[in-house]
Amino acid sequence: MTLNLRLAAALCAALSLCAVLAVPANFPALGGDARLTLAVFALATCAWIGTPIDDTYIALGAGLALTATGVISSDTLFGTLGEDTVWLLICAFVLAAAVARTGLAGRAAAFLVGGARTVRQLVHLTTAALVVTAFAVPATSGRAALALPVFLALAKVLADRKRLVVMLALLFPTVILLSAVATLIGAGAHLITVSVLWEATGDRIGFTQWLLLGLPLAVASSHLAAETVLLTTTRRAERAGPVRITAEEIQRHSESPVTGPWTQAEKRCALLLATVVALWCSEPLHRVSPAVVALIGAVVASSPALGTVRLKDALKTVPWSLLLFMAATMAMGVALADSGAAGWLVSGLPADVAPAVFLGVVVAVSTAAHLVLQSRSARSSVLVPLVIAAAVGAGVNPVAAALASTAAAGFCHTLPASAKPVTLFSDVPGVPTYTPRDLLRLSAVLAPLTALLVLFFAAAVWPLLGVPVTR
């Protein structure tokens, strides 16, 4: 479907819904605020789907419309920027800038990948290294940019084995996207989910609880995806034969040393990062908010005496557009819940649905949603409020349902434009990379596998970790 057709279809759908909602006789159980909220929500969703307008601009316009019409207060709209999750992400990007400045990532890559002797070892060691980066670099696009030099180094070493290079080009974004669920700062969508859950149900998921629930899923899905990428992209003959990646070859594509004695800056940065992650993971013991811990770490990382990056340089790396998008969509989620619009939307669903069936539908819809909404944060903004409202009506634990939806929405590999990491690795100058056909072949296998894995965790693993399927 061309852009013009998509735009026309989206506009017709949105305007038709608005016209239906404008007639008071239609849906008499729906209040005025709920009607306005649904109209704004429909227009925003259709604009995200069918127009090239920036997602943040659309979200801000929707938030402003809800405020101007009195559905939410200005304090609600502006207060979302003061959420601790927003501050957590800002400070995490400052810490990530400090890590990137020292070159610790190159040392870690040389240490891990250098131990590979077979293709399968290379794939799984690379996967393990990419999973670890979820703790150091927030947001998938930042991790993709950090990993690109490592991929280039591997591509040069394996230049005579083209299909292996293509396989690695596909492996990097696949693992980056699926492993994001490991931490709360792994994607902006996670912070939106936490905020909507808190506003709608009063349930708060902290950094430690998310880590406990998300890390096992991230490890399992990443290595499952790695094996899937390996088997769907290469033949047995192409996987045969040893590989040898040396630190010297990685060094050619790194501006910082990857071997030799550590500098004082590297030691300080590694110690600081380890301390911050340890404090995040031990939140139940000291009760200090992860956002406060991150702020302390950011101040130290940018301090004149102990830091490795200037604060103004680190703040330039913060995706302010993403933060504004998150704040605006959080306000939209509040409007959906408080106005009764979300409850009305799901009121027609059958109440006697089995929890397993309900979760299965949620996971399936969330997995396929990237075909319509390319922004991961936008998908959570649309789906999570509705999933929470439907879960309450169906007797399903809204925490389990929201987490399953968010985790499943992390799959976005079908098209080159489905996610920024996929786009970045699909066109690397001078390096053979994957085609849309490679993506479709992988997606056909990986989509059902990851959906079933998320469903398994929601139904069998998370209940053992304190998140039952029903309340």
Side-chain angles (χ1 to χ4, degrees), residues 94-277:
V94 174
L95 287 168
V99 172
R101 182 66 61 90
T102 60
L104 284 174
R107 285 188 181 273
F111 174 76
L112 286 171
V113 178
R117 295 295 178 266
T118 66
V119 173
R120 182 164 271 109
Q121 284 182 356
L122 175 63
V123 166
H124 286 283
L125 286 174
T126 300
T127 299
L130 291 172
V131 172
V132 171
T133 62
F135 295 91
V137 182
T140 54
S141 55
R143 293 168 62 205
L146 184 70
L148 185 59
V150 178
F151 165 70
L152 290 174
L154 297 177
K156 295 299 182 184
V157 176
L158 300 171
D160 58 336
R161 303 168 74 175
K162 181 180 176 181
R163 288 306 298 176
L164 293 187
V165 176
V166 172
M167 180 271 296
L168 287 174
L170 198 51
L171 175 72
F172 272 72
T174 298
V175 174
I176 286 170
L177 289 167
L178 293 179
S179 62
V181 74
T183 70
L184 183 59
I185 62 173
H190 302 169
L191 305 180
I192 292 172
T193 297
V194 169
S195 177
V196 173
L197 261 176
W198 168 249
E199 295 288 348
T201 67
D203 293 315
R204 182 176 289 278
I205 301 177
F207 186 94
T208 306
Q209 186 181 12
W210 190 290
L211 182 69
L212 180 65
L213 300 170
L215 182 57
L217 174 59
V219 172
S221 61
S222 296
H223 285 280
L224 175 66
E227 196 66 26
T228 305
V229 169
L230 182 63
L231 295 177
T232 58
T233 312
T234 62
R235 299 184 179 90
R236 178 175 297 180
E238 293 165 337
R239 296 190 293 270
V243 295
R244 177 73 176 177
I245 312 294
T246 65
E248 291 73 18
E249 289 164 328
I250 295 178
Q251 180 68 74
R252 297 193 192 105
H253 300 273
S254 176
E255 297 178 358
S256 304
V258 298
T259 57
W262 285 34
T263 64
Q264 289 300 317
E266 288 174 327
K267 292 178 181 178
R268 290 197 305 269
C269 189
L271 178 61
L272 175 62
L273 183 61
T275 303
V276 168
V277 173

Side-chain angles (χ1 to χ4, degrees), residues 215-448:
L215 182 57
L217 174 59
V219 172
S221 61
S222 296
H223 285 280
L224 175 66
E227 196 66 26
T228 305
V229 169
L230 182 63
L231 295 177
T232 58
T233 312
T234 62
R235 299 184 179 90
R236 178 175 297 180
E238 293 165 337
R239 296 190 293 270
V243 295
R244 177 73 176 177
I245 312 294
T246 65
E248 291 73 18
E249 289 164 328
I250 295 178
Q251 180 68 74
R252 297 193 192 105
H253 300 273
S254 176
E255 297 178 358
S256 304
V258 298
T259 57
W262 285 34
T263 64
Q264 289 300 317
E266 288 174 327
K267 292 178 181 178
R268 290 197 305 269
C269 189
L271 178 61
L272 175 62
L273 183 61
T275 303
V276 168
V277 173
L279 289 173
W280 279 339
C281 296
S282 58
E283 178 191 357
L285 299 177
H286 52 70
R287 299 294 181 183
V288 179
S289 166
V292 174
V293 172
L295 181 57
I296 295 171
V299 170
V300 174
S302 58
S303 64
L306 300 175
T308 59
V309 64
R310 293 189 300 175
L311 182 60
K312 67 176 184 179
D313 293 332
L315 290 176
K316 291 178 182 177
T317 67
V318 178
W320 299 105
S321 178
L322 172 63
L323 296 177
L324 289 173
F325 178 87
M326 286 172 47
T329 52
M330 287 176 188
M332 292 171 64
V334 172
L336 275 173
D338 292 351
S339 69
W344 178 83
L345 279 174
V346 300
S347 60
L349 297 178
D352 56 349
V353 177
V357 175
F358 178 86
L359 287 176
V361 172
V362 167
V363 169
V365 171
S366 301
T367 301
H370 72 282
L371 298 173
V372 179
L373 280 170
Q374 294 179 347
S375 168
R376 190 174 190 164
S377 297
R379 292 198 294 277
S380 289
S381 302
V382 172
L383 291 173
V384 171
L386 303 180
V387 166
I388 292 173
V392 172
V396 175
N397 184 358
V399 176
L403 285 173
S405 174
T406 305
F411 178 85
C412 38
H413 304 66
T414 306
L415 302 171
S418 294
K420 291 179 182 177
V422 180
T423 304
L424 178 64
F425 280 87
S426 67
D427 185 17
V428 181
V431 177
T433 184
Y434 48 84
T435 64
R437 183 177 179 181
D438 292 321
L439 280 176
L440 290 173
R441 182 168 55 245
L442 173 65
S443 182
V445 178
L446 190 57

